[in-house]
């Protein structure tokens, strides 16, 4: 994956209601800084000028967030009704996400569940960071859970690293980055959570690989191509495969399908619940301030990486 430019936006999925892009690393979703002209919003406006909505702050309704340093699948709603449908999926925890990462060291366990509570770091000089409960200056820690599955052991620029699949089961800012650091395996190239020490890689090795959003009108399910392969980055040298990525993702899909079938069975036995109508609004009307604030809070809560 080449560095991002205004005209090389990769589209993974497109319908009349949604677009899923393969976001580049080191590109912000949007920026108010005059000198940051290359953002995901500007790429979308360049590629799809006819789809930009003047009634929204960003021009496009981003259904969730990815950090500046993180690449991969990011969903964009093309109208208010579609955004509401996606919002409902996030609110009801129906969305499935899985990330690929290269982490420092060789992870000894083939699979682990990480359950450190995460809060905001109030220590001077680190207020842009999150931290685990028990860290000095940790404010308002909330329970968090992430799953880590080892895919391959190898080396990056001669140093031992492990390729892993990460699944955030809760939503907290920088959750995966903080959890990996907390278990002694920080993400390769994570300048922030290595306290400035891991600065030599050209990017942070975290990628939103799999995204599934079962909206009312359509099932959005995509995989963003794996960037952590030797053909894409010669510094990464796999040495031993523990689990195939394809098999691991299929296992995750089967689990989600089974859970949905069980839920549908329970609703059928209980008679089900009446579906709520999506809120409708007059065409051309701007988004109310209350809705905008609620949407911003929703986006902040789902900054998962």
């Amino acid at each position: 994956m080449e560095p991002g430019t205004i005209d090389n936006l990769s589209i993974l999925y497109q319908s009349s209601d949604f677009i899923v892009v393969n976001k580049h690393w080191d590109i912000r979703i949007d920026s108010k800084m005059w000198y940051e002209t290359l953002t995901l919003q500007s790429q979308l406006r360049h590629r799809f000028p006819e789809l930009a909505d003047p009634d929204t702050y960003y021009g496009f309704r981003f259904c969730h967030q990815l950090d500046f340093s993180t690449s991969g699948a990011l969903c964009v709603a093309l109208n208010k009704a579609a955004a509401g449908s996606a919002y409902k999926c996030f609110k009801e925890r129906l969305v499935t996400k899985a990330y690929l990462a290269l982490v420092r060291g060789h992870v000894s366990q083939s699979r682990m569940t990480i359950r450190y509570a995460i809060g905001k770091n109030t220590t001077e000089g680190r207020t842009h960071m999150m931290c685990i409960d028990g860290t000095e200056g940790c404010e308002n820690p909330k329970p968090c859970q992430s799953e880590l599955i080892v895919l391959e052991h190898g080396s990056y620029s001669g140093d031992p690293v492990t390729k892993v699949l990460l699944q955030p089961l809760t939503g907290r800012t920088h959750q995966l980055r903080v959890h990996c650091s907390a278990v002694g395996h920080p993400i390769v190239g994570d300048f922030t959570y290595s306290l400035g020490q891991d600065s030599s890689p050209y990017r942070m090795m975290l990628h939103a690989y799999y995204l599934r959003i079962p909206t009312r009108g359509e099932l959005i399910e995509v995989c963003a191509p794996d960037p952590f392969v030797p053909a894409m980055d010669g510094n990464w040298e796999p040495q031993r495969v523990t689990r195939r990525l394809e098999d691991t993702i299929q296992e995750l899909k089967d689990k989600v399908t089974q859970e949905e079938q069980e839920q549908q069975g329970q609703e059928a036995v209980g008679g089900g619940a009446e579906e709520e109508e999506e809120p409708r609004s007059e065409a051309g009307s701007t988004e109310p301030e209350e809705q905008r604030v609620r949407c911003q809070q929703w986006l902040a809560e789902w900054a998962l990486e």
Side-chain angles (χ1 to χ4, degrees), residues 43-85:
Q43 287 181 313
L44 285 165
R45 282 185 177 273
H46 180 81
R47 181 75 171 271
F48 305 106
E50 73 283 2
L51 298 180
D53 187 342
D55 290 337
T56 64
Y57 177 79
Y58 286 106
F60 292 87
R61 293 178 172 88
F62 298 104
C63 297
H64 54 112
Q65 290 186 322
L66 289 179
D67 263 2
F68 167 74
S69 305
T70 306
S71 60
L74 181 67
C75 185
V76 182
L78 298 180
N79 55 69
K80 191 174 293 186
S85 180

Side-chain angles (χ1 to χ4, degrees), residues 24 33 42 47 84 92 99 136 146 155 158 178 194 219 222 227 246 251 253 276 283:
H24 286 84
M33 302 298 180
S42 65
R47 181 75 171 271
E92 296 178 1
Y99 292 70
E136 184 177 355
S146 305
S155 64
V178 173
S194 67
L219 171 62
V222 298
E246 295 79 7
E251 179 183 298
K253 290 181 179 180
E276 296 181 7

Side-chain angles (χ1 to χ4, degrees), residues 94 96 210 212 219 221 249-265:
L94 300 176
T96 304
Y210 176 71
R212 185 180 192 274
L219 171 62
E221 187 172 37
I249 290 296
Q250 187 59 52
E251 179 183 298
L252 177 58
K253 290 181 179 180
D254 292 343
K255 179 182 177 183
V256 171
T257 300
Q258 181 180 350
E259 290 174 350
E260 287 183 347
Q261 291 174 345
E262 291 175 353
Q263 178 65 28
Q264 290 170 1

Side-chain angles (χ1 to χ4, degrees), residues 177-199:
R177 298 167 65 184
V178 173
H179 273 175
C180 286
S181 179
V183 297
H185 297 285
I187 295 171
V188 173
D190 191 344
F191 184 82
T192 299
Y193 288 98
S194 67
L195 300 182
Q197 297 180 19
D198 200 350
S199 59

Side-chain angles (χ1 to χ4, degrees), residues 119-148:
K120 185 170 179 57
N121 197 328
T122 61
T123 303
E124 185 176 356
R126 298 185 183 180
T127 54
H128 61 296
M129 299 172 63
M130 307 297 284
C131 54
I132 61 171
D133 190 16
T135 304
E136 184 177 355
C138 188
E139 182 181 86
N140 192 28
K142 295 182 180 179
C144 294
Q145 184 172 332
S146 305
E147 294 289 337
L148 181 152

Side-chain angles (χ1 to χ4, degrees), residues 205-256:
M205 305 299 173
L206 181 62
H207 177 73
Y209 178 72
Y210 176 71
L211 175 65
R212 185 180 192 274
I213 309 177
T215 71
R216 176 187 295 180
E218 62 192 279
L219 171 62
I220 302 167
E221 187 172 37
V222 298
C223 287
D226 178 4
F228 307 137
V229 293
M232 300 281 287
D233 187 349
N235 293 311
W236 161 237
E237 298 182 15
Q239 296 165 353
R240 180 166 58 88
V241 176
T242 301
R243 287 180 62 96
R244 293 178 68 248
L245 174 59
E246 295 79 7
D247 296 339
T248 308
I249 290 296
Q250 187 59 52
E251 179 183 298
L252 177 58
K253 290 181 179 180
D254 292 343
K255 179 182 177 183
V256 171

